[in-house]
Amino acid sequence: MSDTPDPALPERRRGSGARMVYELLRDESLDMVLPPGAPIDEIQQAERLSISRTPIREALVRLAGEGLVTMLPNRSTVVSTIDFANLNAFFDALTLMYRVTTRAAAECHTSADMDRIRARQRVFAAAVAAGDAPRMIVCNRDFHVAIAEAGRNPYYTQLFTRLLDEGRRILRLYYYPSFEARLPHPYIVEHEAIIAAVEARDLALCDRLARDHADQIVRQIQGMIAQDRRQHIDL
Amino acid sequence: MSDTPDPALPERRRGSGARMVYELLRDESLDMVLPPGAPIDEIQQAERLSISRTPIREALVRLAGEGLVTMLPNRSTVVSTIDFANLNAFFDALTLMYRVTTRAAAECHTSADMDRIRARQRVFAAAVAAGDAPRMIVCNRDFHVAIAEAGRNPYYTQLFTRLLDEGRRILRLYYYPSFEARLPHPYIVEHEAIIAAVEARDLALCDRLARDHADQIVRQIQGMIAQDRRQHIDL
DNA sequence: TGCATTTTATTTGTCGACAAGATTTCGACG
DNA sequence: CGTCGAAATCTTGTCGACAAATAAAATGCA
């Protein structure tokens, strides 16, 4: 089996166990290390992380609350599958959250928020320059989360974060094969425009830019899915 | 203390324990039986429900994920306080969800959805006729949740449900004193109008009606809060 | 050989217990 | 009398174990 018992984790602080397991399983799910539909055995994970089943279970309950895993009663827990039937609903919600969080940021942002946003944009640009696709995905997420946090609406921020993470899974599924072909530089330009509009507190412009940005991302994902479909038909 | 050890619950099915505790603590939090800020002692709850601490803890983790309780590391778990500083954000998100769920329902609803929505509306009207304020709050929530479910966007539905439940807490806090003075019948008329607009698939009308409906509810809550403030100042 | 049924085995849901961390109580000292 | 510090108490976080429920394997039968 692929049990890789990490030997270097004897020192753990009390109370950090469940959180660490949560973050680990969360990242492994989002990064497709644990592919959708894969069963998560509690005992197996407990042995892998040299920890009891209790923190494992707590992490799984949390992940189930976020919809990342599905706990089947009295049966195994599995990584949630990507529901392609509800993909339109996903795009719809994602686009809406892009818009409202950017608008809210334009309304409420402080100079400290702008500093954080610009810092994220720099990191994103660096990832683009390095051609590091997975890092680009994460940094793009962080950039927009920073904008959402500047909007100071935790309801929007939480849903938006969840949607961006869900998108991270989808991109992981499709982005790799066609990465070299696409130039991600337009995203940098769009980000800069969004930053300027937020700072100028131009709500209408923010709404339009966010909508365009979202539509472009949605179209790109849809295109990748369609291309993937064609490839499968060709086989 | 007010420990009321329920004597009539010896028969429990395996796997239902955690869910039952979750639903119980959830309802008690939303109904203000557990007021905001109240600490939730795991051992105390375990004794009260004649159950181990493990399912209690699982329920608390789930509730913490929904923001209903706050788990302080190595300290007690408390019922989340109502954050009046973010009340504007709450109203903002609530209004938006009213709009988008009603619009989505207009787009996607089936005849079975309409039956369910009308059934909820009948129950709501019955609660209004009976003058049962807490039941009205719950039935109003169920009515709009049914509309949201007809929209078939689980992201919207989940956030909307959470917001409506949060509103249930706020209404529980303010609605009782001033209930007799207000006539809730306009809500019935507005609901009927929304039903008609959804069935006619008139997106623009749905959006307008939902916005008006939300604005009216928001204004009513704000009025109750303002009245409450005045009363406190008068003392 | 194929299908139904019993038996085994694995995995979860729950339990009681123990230790770390925090809070409170109590006592010493200025 | 008030303040600081130490002991006691309490609560949580984690652990190992057991039983119910399911899944898998083995057995019997047509």
Side-chain angles (χ1 to χ4, degrees), chain A residues 19-63:
Chain A
R19 192 188 323 277
M20 186 183 63
V21 176
Y22 163 76
E23 290 172 0
L24 180 69
L25 261 53
R26 180 174 170 281
D27 288 339
E28 286 186 347
S29 297
L30 293 177
D31 290 338
M32 291 292 194
V33 177
L34 296 172
I40 300 180
D41 188 287
E42 295 178 7
I43 299 175
Q44 202 170 331
Q45 297 297 325
E47 288 173 357
R48 175 165 78 105
L49 302 172
S50 307
I51 204 171
S52 165
R53 262 183 57 214
T54 307
I56 305 281
R57 185 150 245 273
E58 181 169 329
L60 290 178
V61 170
R62 278 222 269 167
L63 291 168

Side-chain angles (χ1 to χ4, degrees), chain A residues 21 24 53 62 75 95-96 104 118 140 142 195-196 225:
Chain A
V21 176
L24 180 69
R53 262 183 57 214
R62 278 222 269 167
R75 264 194 296 280
T95 302
L96 183 66
R118 287 209 186 79
N140 178 68
D142 291 342
I195 292 175
I225 292 174

Side-chain angles (χ1 to χ4, degrees), chain B residues 14 40-43 53 57 71-76:
Chain B
R14 174 189 172 84
I40 299 179
D41 188 287
E42 294 178 7
I43 299 175
R53 264 183 57 214
R57 185 150 245 274
M71 299 186 84
L72 305 159
N74 281 322
R75 262 194 297 280
S76 66

